[in-house]
Amino acid sequence: MYLRQLQEGVEVLLQRETLPEAERDQLRQRVMILDAWKLAKKALSAGDMVQLNTIAGHLHPPELNDETLWQQFGLAPFAITWRMAGNFPPMISAIQKLRQRARLEQDHSQEVHMLWGLIAAQIALGQLQEASTCCQELQQLITSLHIPAPLVAYPSLFQAQLAYARNQLEVAQRAALEAIQKAAPFQYMDILMGAYEVLVHASIARGELSKALQVLNEMEGVNQAADIPLFQPWIEGLRSSLWLAQGNLASAADWAEHTPYRQEALTGSVYSREGTYLTLVHVDLAQQKYQQALQLLAALLESAEQVSRVGSMVSVLALQVAALQVLGSTQEALLVLARLLPLAEPEGYLRPFLDAGEPMQQVLQAWFCQEQEAVAPRLSTYAQTIFKAFASEQRQSEMETSASLISSGHPHALSPSTEPGLEPLTPREQEVLCLLAEGATNQEIAERLVISLTTVKKHVSSLFLKLAAENRTHAVARARELALL
């Protein structure tokens, strides 16, 4: 409605015979911008990437000699195309220029519109720290300017996405629910679908599968009512992820076999469907189709690398580590991990590692066994943080399993054979454990690690305690049982 009124106003002005030619040209350009904006919205709803590129190809990027509002409208078709293609660097560059002008003109209301696009791009590029800062600025502007819904919901959506990437699952769920509550009365689909996606993923990660199913069904109902094909691949991928979590591999495998998205990802992926492509990888891994998974990951990695989309690279590389490990290619997996850790550490990613599952945990253990002298201390600390997150999830899963067994009156709910959550080993303990497995004596370990004999004995005693082992042989055996070696 607003765009139609805006265009009618411009067309009325064009009918004035006394209008200077320069102003007439500017108004004609504005009409073209509005026409392109309407076509772009229609193509976006249909997920028509070809049409979006065609629209952008017939336009020139907005000039800085027009009003900020019209620069924003002029940027929109390009921003939509860049976002669909996952090509965010030019989008950030263009938005930063417009934001700078809005700031100079103290047009804070336009700055709000610039900021939400900027944050979405930063998250995709893996710039989580910058996105967090901008999100705080956006929230402050919205509060001070009393910006109405649905834009008021964007900070909650971004907080949910950032929290999930860092494995702050309760925060992610709470923020996603806030975004949904704020956007639902307006049926603002960009916010709604993004928030539903986070809420489903976070619920699955916490083992709340009934809740995940409820949210997913609600998401599908909202999308069916809006009739927007763009989000259908999201829903299909999320449902398949839920099937995997439920142990329903047959349904997930059937979907993966018949979906067109695999071929699409291999020949020309669409960024908005990346989550669906990654679900296909998880299904491949569950079916032990490791080479097929690696082929798809290679295509996705190439696409992300071409536009420096680090957020995507982190997710893809994490799954590459897992796929290589289950293939028995631990050394190759370690090489990929060595590339992944420096990319992910500055931004505090955790969830992509955890979503890669036990194979990632095994490769991390192998990484700790390597020589650590050349490794930056921050990377070692970061790897230990990831490993602790794995241990925490395992303890939580065991507690939920025990609670479920107790509530159902299972006779073995409190069986002493139930494996308690393992306290994570420190990097040095992992090194000592690897040398114990090689048969090294305490003196040999001290010499290899250049530490005192007393320190070695302390580490060995700590290993016995953590592994519930009675001696060195038992410790190595327990470590192998727990996939620590």
Side-chain angles (χ1 to χ4, degrees), residues 181 301 372 407 409 429 474:
Q181 290 166 0
L301 183 60
Q372 296 291 310
S407 65
E429 286 170 347
H474 189 198

Side-chain angles (χ1 to χ4, degrees), residues 294 320-321 324-325 328-338 363:
L294 286 169
Q320 274 193 341
V321 170
L324 289 167
Q325 174 64 11
S329 303
T330 302
Q331 290 307 311
E332 290 183 60
L334 284 166
L335 291 174
V336 176
L337 182 64
V363 177

Side-chain angles (χ1 to χ4, degrees), residues 24-196:
R24 191 176 299 278
D25 288 343
Q26 187 178 62
L27 289 173
R28 290 194 188 103
Q29 178 64 24
R30 290 178 177 181
V31 170
M32 290 176 60
I33 286 171
L34 289 171
D35 286 339
W37 180 214
K38 289 186 292 185
L39 289 171
K41 286 183 67 177
K42 183 177 179 180
L44 177 64
S45 295
D48 190 341
M49 192 65 197
V50 174
Q51 178 66 7
L52 280 171
N53 283 327
T54 301
I55 294 166
H58 285 85
L59 289 174
H60 297 290
E63 300 291 338
L64 292 180
N65 58 2
D66 204 348
E67 295 174 12
T68 305
L69 174 66
W70 288 101
Q71 292 173 38
Q72 179 187 334
F73 278 128
L75 175 64
F78 292 94
I80 291 172
T81 303
W82 289 328
R83 190 174 176 186
M84 286 285 286
N87 186 13
F88 290 98
M91 180 174 167
I92 283 185
S93 176
I95 290 175
Q96 290 283 34
K97 290 178 182 177
L98 296 183
R99 185 190 180 197
Q100 184 177 10
R101 174 170 173 175
R103 277 182 158 181
L104 288 173
E105 296 176 353
Q106 295 188 337
D107 190 346
H108 299 306
S109 138
Q110 286 304 316
E111 189 178 357
V112 168
H113 289 275
M114 304 300 169
L115 267 174
W116 79 256
L118 179 63
I119 296 166
Q122 289 170 333
I123 291 174
L125 289 176
Q127 299 170 1
L128 303 191
Q129 301 287 8
E130 291 184 30
S132 296
T133 300
C134 287
C135 193
Q136 292 173 4
E137 294 177 19
L138 177 60
Q139 183 62 70
Q140 290 169 0
L141 282 172
I142 285 174
T143 302
S144 63
L145 297 174
H146 305 289
I147 298 292
L151 291 181
V152 71
Y154 268 116
S156 297
L157 170 61
F158 296 138
Q159 287 163 10
Q161 292 171 335
L162 291 166
Y164 181 75
R166 291 166 171 161
N167 198 40
Q168 299 163 350
L169 299 180
E170 290 186 33
V171 175
Q173 287 178 309
R174 185 166 58 250
L177 281 170
E178 288 176 1
I180 291 169
Q181 290 166 0
K182 293 173 182 175
F186 304 89
Q187 290 298 288
Y188 202 85
M189 296 299 287
D190 185 50
I191 295 175
L192 279 174
M193 294 296 105
Y196 276 126

